[in-house]
Amino acid sequence: MYNMLTGVDLAKKEIQVCVAKSNKIVRNMPMTPTAFSNWLATQKPMTVVFEACATSNYWYQCAREYGHDARLISAKLVSNIRQNQKTDKNDAEAVLQASQLSNVNFISGKSKEQQELQSLVRMHQLSVKHKVAYGNQLCSLLLEFNIKLSPTDTGLNSAIQSILEDAENGFSAIFREALHTAWHQYLKSIELVKHYEKSVARASRASEACKNLMKIEGVGPTNAVNLYIALGCCELGVFKKARDAAACIGLTPIQHSSGGKVRLGSIGKNIRNSSLRANLVAGAMSAVNQAVKRDSRTKKDEWIKGLVERRGKRCAAVALANKTVRTAFSLLRNGTDYKAELLSA
């Protein structure tokens, strides 16, 4: 770190800046975003620590462009360190204090490319939630009229079309019009999901790192983007080992050890990014199903078949997802290409 250390508490309209030099606070004052940007541009290189929150990646990139050593720190850690009541001034000072803890794990920031990929994934996830919500609402409302139907798009379509076309079913014109509007809204949500899926696929093909990750068994465009975002942020400063990355995603047993006794718990409970884990396991399950159907072509195929015989497909899928994360971490860290190890002829 540089001799000058700055802790920054970010907000939309006002940014609190706490500057310390030689372990003494010399300034703790608010600035507008424009004034803060100008201040960064005129200061000598220093260490700037931001609390990881909204807009933190933007300011992280901005500080690095001006030659500063930018860091992101966990908001939960800052909250635990903060003294007295919650104010912008105390928050900025807490950011400064938290950054000076021994063995503190900073959060690696994202590049603009990674932010764009993350935004595409978030848009896709939200569109899927809306699609499922529209479909569930239509099924539930029709069930109130004792109209039972299949949850598939085809079953829902046939049921609604029959309701709209049957003039003698007793439904009013107002209800028919509202049902027709809701159905078209559902169809639009389906189109939106497909549009975002294509956008994610195009973005993954445009990224060399994602193209390399898609060579791994069970990794498609969405999983490639998710892995790149989770593991490939800037200098890979979050995880030092591949097993740490797998543990964070929830693909290793939870450990609760004390007094020299090692206790291992369940896998995948109480994790933050459950959607990433679910997608990885789903992709791994697809690869497992393909591996057991065909003759083994690689050593990984043989490993999967042996694991399926011993523990079953579900356990094999979780184990393969764990191996996928570790492999992706190695590829991103070393900048190497993935090549499956073929069986010797």
Side-chain angles (χ1 to χ4, degrees), residues 69-229:
D69 179 18
R71 309 284 183 90
L72 297 182
I73 198 166
S74 168
K76 184 177 181 180
L77 177 60
V78 173
S79 177
N80 292 334
I81 294 296
R82 184 181 63 244
Q83 303 179 71
N84 303 320
Q85 299 181 9
K86 178 175 172 55
T87 63
D88 292 345
K89 190 173 181 179
N90 290 338
D91 283 346
E93 187 173 342
V95 171
L96 197 67
Q97 293 170 344
S99 65
Q100 299 180 74
L101 295 175
S102 59
N103 297 325
V104 62
N105 291 322
F106 291 100
I107 299 172
S108 289
K110 295 179 178 63
S111 64
K112 190 173 182 180
E113 177 196 11
Q114 290 165 339
Q115 282 186 274
E116 290 179 352
L117 290 172
Q118 186 183 52
S119 298
L120 288 174
V121 172
R122 295 292 184 268
M123 293 175 190
H124 175 253
Q125 290 175 345
L126 184 61
S127 66
V128 171
K129 289 181 180 180
H130 286 170
K131 170 185 172 293
V132 173
Y134 286 136
N136 289 343
Q137 186 188 53
L138 286 171
C139 291
S140 300
L141 292 177
L142 293 179
L143 188 61
E144 293 293 330
F145 296 99
N146 199 30
I147 300 175
K148 301 176 183 178
L149 45 88
S150 171
T152 62
D153 295 339
T154 304
L156 189 58
N157 178 44
S158 60
I160 291 180
Q161 294 301 328
S162 63
I163 292 173
L164 296 176
E165 293 173 2
D166 187 1
E168 299 180 356
N169 55 17
F171 289 114
S172 65
I174 297 175
F175 178 78
R176 291 172 184 274
E177 182 180 356
L179 183 61
H180 182 266
T181 302
W183 173 243
H184 276 275
Q185 188 71 28
Y186 178 67
L187 294 179
K188 288 181 181 179
S189 67
I190 294 176
E191 294 177 0
L192 197 60
V193 170
K194 293 179 179 178
H195 172 74
Y196 286 132
E197 286 177 349
K198 293 179 180 178
S199 298
V200 172
R202 290 200 306 269
S204 61
R205 288 193 296 267
S207 171
E208 291 299 326
C210 291
K211 285 173 62 177
N212 189 28
L213 291 175
M214 282 192 287
K215 297 177 184 177
I216 304 174
E217 297 84 353
V219 177
T222 302
N223 278 341
V225 171
N226 281 328
L227 285 172
Y228 180 49
I229 293 170

Side-chain angles (χ1 to χ4, degrees), residues 50 55 208 303 310 329:
F50 301 95
T55 73
E208 291 299 326
W303 173 78
R310 297 192 306 270
F329 180 86

